[in-house]
Amino acid sequence: MMNVLDGKKENLVLGIDIGTRNVVGTVGYRTDEGKFIVVAQTVKEHVTRAMLDGQIHDIGRVAQVVSWVKEELEVQINQPLTEVCIAAAGRVLKTVTCRAEYNYPEETVVTGEDIHTLDLIGVEKAQDLLNEKNDTNYKFYCVGYSVVKSYLNDDLFTSLEGHKANKIAEDIIVTFLPEDVVDGLYSAVGQAGLSVANLTLEPIAAINVAIPENFRMLNIALVDVGAGTSDICITKEGSITAYGMIPHAGDELTEEIVQQYLVDFQMAEHIKLSSTIDDEVTYEDIMSIKHSIPSEEVWELTDKVVDRITSEVAEKIIELNGGQTVSATFVVGGGGKVHNFTKKLAEYLNLPEERVALRGEEVLKEVTFLQEDIKKDPLLVTPIGICLNYYDKKNNFIMIRFNGERMKLYDNNRLTIVDAALQAGFSNDKLFPRSGKALNFTVNGNKRIVRGEVGEPAVITLNGKPANINTPLEPNCNVEIIPSTQGERARYTISELEEYTSSIMTFIVNGRLINCPKFLEVNGVLEPSSYAIQDGDIIENRGFYTVEQVAEFMDVDIDLDEDIYVNNRLADMNSLVYENFSIEWTVKECHIENASYYASDEQIKERKYQESLRGASIGLGNYEQSSENDFDEEVEKKVELESKEISEVNEEAEAKEAEAKEAKEAKEAKEAKETSDDELEYSDTPIEVEDELSETELYFDVEYQDCDTLEETFDEEYEKMDEYNSIFEKNDSRKNDIDLEISYDLKKNLDEVKDSSYNVNHGENEESEEEKEIIVTVNNSPVTLTDKNSYVFVDIFDKINFDLSNSQGRGIITTINGRDARFTEEIHTGDKIEVYWKEM
């Protein structure tokens, strides 16, 4: 045998018929002349009733039997076996007949791949029809199909391959079984160390051997009688026209024998089989008593069961054949060998007895067995047919499990996980992370966008191991995809805007430069720093404060009994104060010292320099808004003060301070004398002194420039404020009388301003972070992509009309600038993209 196998080992095919009673394994190969050579074969009975009615009930026990068959065959051929072809059966069989069509863009030569793709179109259409009519709780899976008729440009043709056509079509019959039936088979052979190379239906496998194509012009029925089911198919006019099944077969005969003769199931099987070949049957019952009975007694016992089974088989054949009987019937399978089975079936079909016959040795003429002890028997028809079916369906499809659902994919040797996802209708939005909804608004007329949070990418595994969308698929693999997520929508507050944190206004308060942040109005309404910006908001800097707001910002308590001046004009707390305006007021209480809002040394120097360029060494506030006379008087006054030496100012300040001290002591002395209320009235000397001091206060007044135009950042100015204040207050004679101490809240706010930064990905108004628009050419048509700052290939599917789930067995072709494209590849303006289904 080894000499015969030389050079053939790589072409060997393993077929296993996992039946209700037996597991039959066959190893062989097909010659160039079409003959099938069986090089090894073995049969093993189930130890227990691990299968019922063609469906696996105990996967572990069935796997043990399959493993034993595999090991026995490996010994016979002296090489390991890794792949297996199997066939399915079961009591819940569904068939759907439909028409599949495909139109070519232009006249094209039909290839074998085109025909396979047409088959898949038919399978998918049948699956859709079954899902619409499914009135059960089962989820069905395609286990086989047969082409009834083929059409070339609507004309009936026997074979389409090689012809030129504008349109091809076929009538196809597709068979389905519940997924749990298929899953049981896959699990059993998987535990035995085998992977499934091909799956078919048992009657399809049997008919490949029992009814050759040259017989199929006749109206013939094939009945595969097993232990649990009787599978049926009908041929007519050269094609298989129908499939069916009844859940009754040989095991019901065995159960009748068990009850009658008080034996276990194994002994009952022995009695049933012996009665078909011997005149007398010997057995031992459960009481260990031996018996011998004539075979006729067994026939009489099982006659009623045989009658009932053949009656139901005949009814099903007539139903599948359009209400009329067939011309002949072939019976295969071990159950068909029961006494009188073919005779009674012929009676119910109204056929002569010779037209209902067992098919064994007669149909195995083209099969050669290298094992001398093998007898050609109906039991061998189905396992050999399983092997032959592999050649007809080789490499057409691979089967996988996608998120728990079994799928069949046309195998082009380039399948990846993304192909499975597309055929399963898994949206590309679920494959790639999605950003949360962006926030669009305008600030001072400029468009601003804040990106949402980025979601989590899809989690992809292949057979439990991490994978990605480009990982190649393997037959019978298990693909799991946890969809990607969408990130949180964008959130932003006023306090996070650069215009709030670094855009400032400058006022002159009692002769000092004060920096205040610019208020922001949202849709014309002043909003606090905690305001959450909404999509479409229009935000603008407000160019003024009120006197009251300035006081609140500085955290000072104003004496409302004294006059308030804005630009030397009488004002009140509601008066508006614009950039560079001066404010004069009397402070009752102030808790701020070295406050951060005081102007920096650099600001003061810059202001003085700008004023000198205008020909004025000192300025107070917004001169354009002051009267001309007030301006002249103020300038003269300040010029006069500036001309004094600093030492003179200090001497004058010391004198006034001494005078104020003496006045204070005099007042205390008068109060001690308990004089009358009129005598107790006393001029507010310290305040008068303070007012006088304010007139002689020395400071540097320079022109303020908006922070947007300064090269220095707000943070740099913030760091210099303390330095200026310490220099300024060194010469301030009021420092001993007024304790300036910054409040906790103001410190906190200013620290937040200083530490804040405008995140590039959250609203920075840089050109590079604006929404980017690109224009690419897709299938010779321009396509514009917006709403992102970069784009990948898969983004085009949001802009074009292309149904990714409509593969119909075709591979998807994606190119960019003439080369193969990846779904995650970045695209740019001017790229030429093609996306289309691979035509047949």
Side-chain angles (χ1 to χ4, degrees):
M1 182 184 299
M2 295 308 299
N3 292 334
V4 176
L5 290 180
D6 286 346
K8 300 293 183 181
K9 288 189 174 184
E10 66 276 8
N11 297 321
L12 293 179
V13 175
L14 168 64
I16 295 183
D17 180 13
I18 305 175
T20 304
R21 179 93 316 262
N22 300 301
V23 176
V24 183
T26 301
V27 178
Y29 64 92
R30 189 165 68 178
T31 66
D32 296 337
E33 294 78 20
K35 291 187 176 182
F36 188 75
I37 309 298
V38 178
V39 299
Q41 189 161 35
T42 190
V43 180
K44 178 71 174 178
E45 277 192 30
H46 293 292
V47 178
T48 63
R49 300 192 67 183
M51 291 187 66
L52 296 174
D53 298 334
Q55 183 172 343
I56 296 176
H57 282 243
D58 190 330
I59 292 175
R61 291 186 179 274
V62 172
Q64 288 178 355
V65 178
V66 172
S67 181
W68 186 93
V69 169
K70 166 181 169 284
E71 292 169 0
E72 175 65 21
L73 292 172
E74 286 176 337
V75 171
Q76 293 184 30
I77 65 174
N78 193 30
Q79 75 175 75
L81 296 168
T82 58
E83 292 187 338
V84 64
C85 301
I86 56 176
R91 67 168 60 238
V92 187
L93 177 70
K94 297 286 185 181
T95 62
V96 178
T97 302
C98 63
R99 186 182 179 93
E101 297 181 348
Y102 184 78
N103 292 289
Y104 292 101
E106 58 185 20
E107 191 175 54
T108 305
V109 176
V110 181
T111 66
E113 185 174 339
D114 297 341
I115 297 172
H116 296 322
T117 302
L118 186 64
D119 293 345
L120 184 55
I121 292 173
V123 171
E124 290 181 347
K125 186 175 182 180
Q127 182 81 64
D128 293 339
L129 292 173
L130 177 63
N131 291 338
E132 291 176 4
K133 299 177 181 179
N134 185 13
D135 56 356
T136 71
N137 295 325
Y138 294 111
K139 295 179 68 176
F140 287 93
Y141 178 76
C142 171
V143 292
Y145 66 88
S146 296
V147 177
V148 180
K149 294 179 181 179
S150 300
Y151 301 90
L152 186 80
N153 297 331
D154 293 325
D155 292 329
L156 188 63
F157 267 66
T158 303
S159 176
L160 302 180
E161 189 171 359
H163 293 282
K164 287 186 177 181
N166 292 313
K167 174 184 176 182
I168 57 176
E170 65 184 19
D171 294 332
I172 186 172
I173 180 170
V174 187
T175 57
F176 299 90
L177 281 173
E179 275 199 346
D180 54 354
V181 174
V182 179
D183 288 344
L185 288 171
Y186 271 75
S187 296
V189 298
Q191 290 184 22
L194 295 168
S195 62
V196 178
N198 185 54
L199 170 69
T200 189
L201 191 68
E202 287 197 358
I204 294 178
I207 205 169
N208 285 334
V209 178
I211 306 181
E213 288 190 9
N214 57 330
F215 284 10
R216 296 179 191 178
M217 292 299 297
L218 302 174
N219 189 197
I220 301 175
L222 173 69
V223 183
D224 183 359
V225 186
T229 62
S230 296
D231 300 302
I232 304 165
C233 63
I234 310 293
T235 67
K236 185 168 55 178
E237 298 177 355
S239 305
I240 299 173
T241 59
Y243 293 101
M245 180 274 305
I246 64 167
H248 305 294
D251 274 359
E252 295 189 27
L253 302 173
T254 307
E255 289 169 358
E256 191 75 16
I257 295 172
V258 167
Q259 299 298 325
Q260 178 66 27
Y261 295 113
L262 200 63
V263 293
D264 60 22
F265 199 86
Q266 296 290 340
M267 184 58 69
E269 276 288 301
H270 163 72
I271 295 172
K272 182 179 70 174
L273 295 176
S274 296
S275 69
T276 63
I277 56 176
D278 299 324
D279 295 332
E280 188 175 83
V281 178
T282 301
Y283 70 93
E284 183 178 301
D285 63 20
I286 61 173
M287 307 302 296
S288 299
I289 303 174
K290 293 184 177 181
H291 303 271
S292 293
I293 57 174
S295 295
E296 289 85 350
E297 184 179 323
V298 180
W299 300 345
E300 291 175 2
L301 174 65
T302 59
D303 186 65
K304 291 183 179 179
V305 179
V306 172
D307 187 77
R308 177 168 53 84
I309 293 174
T310 54
S311 172
E312 293 186 16
V313 170
E315 289 179 6
K316 193 67 175 179
I317 290 173
I318 293 172
E319 176 191 333
L320 295 174
N321 199 45
Q324 59 186 9
T325 192
V326 293
S327 300
T329 300
F330 294 155
V331 178
V332 298
K337 296 189 292 182
V338 175
H339 181 73
N340 271 348
F341 188 92
T342 57
K343 180 180 179 180
K344 286 183 175 293
L345 183 59
E347 291 177 3
Y348 285 114
L349 288 173
N350 292 321
L351 293 175
E353 288 187 21
E354 61 269 18
R355 289 198 177 183
V356 179
L358 282 168
R359 300 288 283 178
E361 185 174 355
E362 302 83 356
V363 298
L364 296 176
K365 293 178 180 178
E366 299 298 319
V367 179
T368 300
F369 293 87
L370 298 184
Q371 293 169 296
E372 297 179 356
D373 57 338
I374 294 295
K375 180 182 178 182
K376 294 183 178 180
D377 186 273
L379 184 67
L380 306 180
V381 171
T382 299
I384 292 174
I386 292 172
C387 293
L388 291 174
N389 187 262
Y390 168 79
Y391 291 99
D392 295 334
K393 306 299 179 185
K394 181 180 180 181
N395 295 329
N396 286 351
F397 302 96
I398 67 168
M399 284 159 284
I400 69 167
R401 184 170 289 278
F402 183 88
N403 281 357
E405 300 285 340
R406 194 169 291 282
M407 289 176 57
K408 180 180 286 188
L409 298 171
Y410 176 70
D411 186 11
N412 59 7
N413 296 320
R414 298 187 303 273
L415 290 176
T416 62
I417 287 178
V418 71
D419 295 307
L422 292 178
Q423 182 159 320
F426 202 82
S427 170
N428 65 75
D429 284 343
K430 297 179 180 179
L431 290 174
F432 301 96
R434 293 156 287 158
S435 296
K437 185 179 179 182
L439 188 61
N440 294 276
F441 54 96
T442 60
V443 180
N444 295 332
N446 296 318
K447 187 177 179 181
R448 190 69 56 80
I449 182 171
V450 179
R451 304 290 181 189
E453 296 292 329
V454 178
E456 295 293 328
V459 178
I460 304 174
T461 59
L462 180 71
N463 295 329
K465 297 180 180 179
N468 58 59
I469 62 173
N470 296 316
T471 301
L473 291 176
E474 303 169 0
N476 309 311
C477 63
N478 186 18
V479 178
E480 293 284 344
I481 301 182
I482 300 175
S484 61
T485 62
Q486 185 173 20
E488 294 290 330
R489 67 180 182 86
R491 302 176 187 276
Y492 222 65
T493 62
I494 291 291
S495 62
E496 296 176 272
L497 287 174
E498 184 181 21
E499 286 76 10
Y500 179 81
T501 59
S502 62
S503 294
I504 59 175
M505 300 174 66
T506 302
F507 307 122
I508 304 164
V509 180
N510 287 347
R512 284 191 174 185
L513 288 176
I514 301 299
N515 292 325
C516 298
K518 287 185 177 180
F519 282 141
L520 293 178
E521 287 184 347
V522 181
N523 303 323
V525 179
L526 187 66
E527 297 289 356
S529 60
S530 60
Y531 171 80
I533 300 172
Q534 304 299 311
D535 200 56
D537 277 352
I538 299 174
I539 303 172
E540 293 181 343
N541 280 116
R542 196 174 79 170
F544 62 86
Y545 271 62
T546 64
V547 172
E548 183 178 9
Q549 289 168 344
V550 175
E552 288 178 358
F553 175 75
M554 295 179 64
D555 196 20
V556 296
D557 190 5
I558 306 302
D559 188 349
L560 299 180
D561 292 334
E562 298 296 328
D563 291 335
I564 299 172
Y565 293 92
V566 175
N567 284 356
N568 300 312
R569 291 183 176 179
L570 195 61
D572 57 31
M573 296 294 282
N574 295 319
S575 297
L576 301 183
V577 184
Y578 291 87
E579 182 83 14
N580 292 329
F581 272 28
S582 67
I583 305 173
E584 296 289 339
W585 58 30
T586 302
V587 177
K588 289 174 60 177
E589 186 176 2
C590 177
H591 303 289
I592 299 175
E593 184 175 355
N594 297 327
S596 299
Y597 51 69
Y598 287 145
S600 68
D601 193 35
E602 293 298 324
Q603 281 183 284
I604 296 174
K605 290 179 181 179
E606 178 66 18
R607 187 178 183 90
K608 183 173 179 63
Y609 172 71
Q610 294 294 338
E611 286 294 337
S612 69
L613 293 180
R614 295 204 316 237
S617 58
I618 295 177
L620 278 177
N622 191 326
Y623 303 119
E624 289 74 15
Q625 298 192 31
S626 302
S627 67
E628 188 173 347
N629 292 336
D630 290 342
F631 175 80
D632 292 340
E633 291 175 3
E634 203 64 47
V635 171
E636 290 176 3
K637 179 178 180 181
K638 292 302 177 183
V639 169
E640 180 182 353
L641 287 173
E642 190 182 34
S643 65
K644 296 180 180 181
E645 296 292 337
I646 295 177
S647 60
E648 295 178 358
V649 175
N650 288 339
E651 290 176 2
E652 183 179 355
E654 292 174 359
K656 289 189 176 293
E657 185 179 25
E659 183 181 345
K661 184 176 181 181
E662 291 175 1
K664 182 177 180 181
E665 292 175 352
K667 181 178 180 181
E668 292 175 351
K670 286 184 179 181
E671 288 175 349
K673 294 178 179 181
E674 297 181 350
T675 57
S676 63
D677 291 341
D678 290 337
E679 291 174 339
L680 287 174
E681 280 190 18
Y682 186 69
S683 172
D684 201 353
T685 304
I687 296 179
E688 290 175 358
V689 171
E690 185 176 345
D691 289 340
E692 292 174 9
L693 282 174
S694 67
E695 295 175 359
T696 63
E697 187 175 43
L698 179 62
Y699 69 99
F700 297 94
D701 192 8
V702 297
E703 181 180 1
Y704 168 77
Q705 292 184 344
D706 190 88
C707 187
D708 293 338
T709 64
L710 288 177
E711 293 183 2
E712 297 87 348
T713 64
F714 182 75
D715 290 345
E716 291 171 341
E717 294 183 3
Y718 177 89
E719 293 171 358
K720 295 175 182 178
M721 287 179 182
D722 286 347
E723 181 182 353
Y724 161 69
N725 292 329
S726 62
I727 295 172
F728 184 87
E729 291 177 1
K730 186 185 297 181
N731 298 319
D732 189 352
S733 60
R734 294 173 298 173
K735 184 174 185 300
N736 295 329
D737 288 334
I738 302 175
D739 183 19
L740 299 177
E741 182 177 353
I742 189 166
S743 70
Y744 171 79
D745 291 337
L746 183 59
K747 259 184 182 175
K748 180 181 178 183
N749 292 336
L750 290 174
D751 287 341
E752 289 176 351
V753 169
K754 178 178 183 299
D755 293 338
S756 64
S757 61
Y758 200 67
N759 191 295
V760 172
N761 294 321
H762 294 81
E764 186 170 358
N765 194 20
E766 295 288 342
E767 182 178 356
S768 62
E769 294 306 315
E770 291 285 350
E771 288 185 2
K772 183 177 179 182
E773 176 180 288
I774 69 170
I775 301 176
V776 297
T777 302
V778 182
N779 295 342
N780 297 321
S781 298
V783 173
T784 302
L785 290 90
T786 57
D787 302 335
K788 294 185 179 181
N789 59 2
S790 64
Y791 305 88
V792 293
F793 188 92
V794 76
D795 288 328
I796 66 171
F797 291 106
D798 296 330
K799 300 294 184 179
I800 64 175
N801 184 17
F802 191 86
D803 188 359
L804 291 171
S805 63
N806 189 26
S807 67
Q808 297 183 340
R810 298 166 290 175
I812 187 172
I813 302 299
T814 56
T815 67
I816 179 169
N817 299 326
R819 58 178 173 78
D820 290 342
R822 292 177 291 104
F823 281 93
T824 55
E825 181 174 354
E826 188 169 350
I827 58 176
H828 307 87
T829 293
D831 283 344
K832 294 183 179 180
I833 295 170
E834 289 186 331
V835 181
Y836 57 91
W837 295 115
K838 183 176 181 181
E839 301 298 344
M840 298 184 297

